[in-house]
Amino acid sequence: MRTRPLKVALLGCGVVGSEVARIMTTHADDLTARIGAPVELAGVAVRRPSKVREGIDPALVTTDATALLKRGDIDIAIEVIGGIEPARTLITTAFDHGISVVSANKALLAQDGAALHAAAETAGLDLYYEAAVAGAIPLVRPMRESLAGDKINRVMGIVNGTTNFILDKMDSTGAGYQEALDEATALGYAEADPTADVEGYDAAAKAAILAGIAFHTRVRLDDVYREGMTEVSAADFASAKRMGCTIKLLAILERAADGESVTARVHPAMIPLTHPLASVREAYNAVFVEAEAAGRLMFYGPGAGGAPTASAVLGDLVAVCRNKLAEATGPGESAYTQLPVSPMGDVVTRYHISLDVADKPGVLAQVATCFAEHGVSIDTVRQQGKDGEASLVVVTHRAPDAALSGTVEALRKLDTVRGVSSIMRVEGE
């Protein structure tokens, strides 16, 4: 066994970073046995050095992350700062100085993953990022390695714990959106500013990463269609229950039937209660991967939190350390297919549409004609009327999203339609 320790620079020491440091310290002997060499926390870069960090030697703490990386004895950097800068500059600095990187930074990888992979490859170093998607759930490495000989056609899942907690509470208790968000905030699942979660930005970043791995093509954050879940209402859940469904914020990544393009999208959707994703509760994540030979695989577990995310980081650390000892590198970016990412309008899906209409003869026929003119077939219709007003709920058959969107815009212009109160896609059938 090698006696000289592999030295690790920890960039960031918040909720995740502090857990990484704790596990590295308390499990040092186990990590040594698994890696084949000691691993040593050699420095911790932070913004606020005066903060007390239990279990971390104050002598390791520095505010100069760049100097830490340039000092000449660091083997691996763990980046858990988040955001774009200074994380991007620090990662490229690490590569410039012969340091492999483990990152949990989904936003940066979704935006600049191709450039970072290229820099790692040029330097002959590793870039691992299991913790960037779905917390503790082993997902990135199985898709990059275990399924490397298979063809992945579809990935669908819940990849944001905050939104799943909110929607689960709305479903199980009848709470409104704001009430469920307040509970999520009180329990620490939602940030003080929950925009990244509830508007789908967090899930979209993860979707971009997963799509790139699944389809061996470059998918950036800007390529991912995104809708948030702030408009989901108790009435939507009531409609979903009448259909035998619930509502989840889903990331859906698909290879076109002809194999010539891919799509990536994040939005709320109704899914049947019989679908395994419907039973994913609280802040848990779950992802379905559909591969040509392996069939359907489901990955499930805690998708966020200090300890779960640190578990994924440490798994990457062990892998990268082993590669260092073997003087090898693990898998890098695989983008050989160079498939285009099609717009949302090309996606074939179903709609659940709730309309407020005048309660008078001929309205249903007028609405049905509007659907027919846009080439969208109606599956079911439910109508309720009272005191001159009525609600009309239409569920469509599968059609291109552009045709469905065009139908909705035409419906808004009908004199008999007083409002489109809800539009939601139906998935998972």
Side-chain angles (χ1 to χ4, degrees), residues 251-263:
I252 304 174
L253 322 169
E254 296 175 298
R255 188 191 299 268
D258 62 5
E260 296 300 315
S261 64
V262 299
T263 56

Side-chain angles (χ1 to χ4, degrees), residues 117-128:
H117 275 294
E121 184 177 358
T122 298
L125 297 165
D126 277 325
L127 172 62
Y128 275 50

